Amino acid sequence: MSGGRPALLGWMAAVALVVLAADRMSKWWVVEVLDLHQLGRIEVLPPFLNFVMAWNTGINFGLLGGISPESMSWILTGLAVAISAALTLWVWRRAGTEGAGALAAGSGIVTGGALGNAWDRVQYGAVADFLNTSCCGIDNPYAFNVADVAIFAGAALIALRA
C-alpha cells in the first residue's frame, strides 16, 4: 500500500470495518438466529468445532471477571477505543515509511476486533464468545469469537511486518 496519510488511514478504516462487520454478523447469526444463548451448545464438527455460549465479563479467558460487570464493561470499552486511537495515530505517523501498509492492515484488523468486542460490552454487558475448538484428545474448555481471532492475527501481522 502506497500513498499518503489519507490513503493509509482509509485502508486501515476499510479493514477495520470489514472485521467489525464479520464479527457482528457472526455474533448475530450464532447468538440470535441459531439461538445459542438459549441452547448453550451446538455441535458443528465435533470435537474440532463446536459453538458454546460463553459470556465473558473479564478480559481474555475471563481474567479480571471478579470486577463488577458494569465497571469492567466501561473500563474495557474505553480501553478498546483508546487502543484504536493509539493505533490510528501510529499509522498516521508511519505514513510513507516501509511497512506502513502492513501496519495499517494489522492495525485495522486489531481495531475492528477491539471495537467488535467493545460493541458486545455495550449491547450485552459482556463479550459473546462462542467458538470452541478441540483436537487430538485435548478438550479445550475456552470459547472465543471472530473479534478475538482478529485481534490475535492483527497483532501478529504488526509484530511480523511493522
Side-chain angles (χ1 to χ4, degrees):
M1 164 119 248
S2 61
R5 287 181 171 138
L8 203 57
L9 292 178
W11 171 238
M12 179 184 169
V15 170
L17 285 173
V18 167
V19 170
L20 178 62
D23 180 64
R24 297 309 314 151
M25 287 175 25
S26 69
K27 289 173 181 170
W28 168 78
W29 181 65
V30 171
V31 176
E32 304 297 334
V33 175
L34 295 180
D35 204 22
L36 188 63
H37 67 287
Q38 292 296 321
L39 297 174
R41 179 180 184 91
I42 299 172
E43 292 189 356
V44 180
L45 295 170
F48 305 109
L49 176 64
N50 296 302
F51 295 159
V52 178
M53 193 72 247
W55 294 104
N56 186 351
T57 59
I59 305 177
N60 287 359
F61 306 118
L63 295 174
L64 301 179
I67 297 175
S68 82
E70 297 83 19
S71 297
M72 183 56 75
S73 179
W74 289 109
I75 290 167
L76 293 176
T77 298
L79 183 61
V81 170
I83 288 170
S84 299
L87 286 171
T88 302
L89 181 60
W90 191 25
V91 168
W92 176 266
R93 289 182 176 166
R94 291 283 309 269
T97 65
E98 186 176 340
L103 173 64
S107 296
I109 295 168
V110 170
T111 297
L115 294 178
N117 281 343
W119 186 314
D120 281 8
R121 292 183 191 287
V122 171
Q123 181 178 359
Y124 301 122
V127 174
D129 289 334
F130 61 90
L131 295 168
N132 174 263
T133 58
S134 295
C135 179
C136 313
I138 299 170
D139 186 25
N140 177 14
Y142 298 107
F144 55 96
N145 60 44
V146 171
D148 296 337
V149 173
I151 292 166
F152 179 83
L157 178 59
I158 291 168
L160 293 173
R161 297 297 314 267

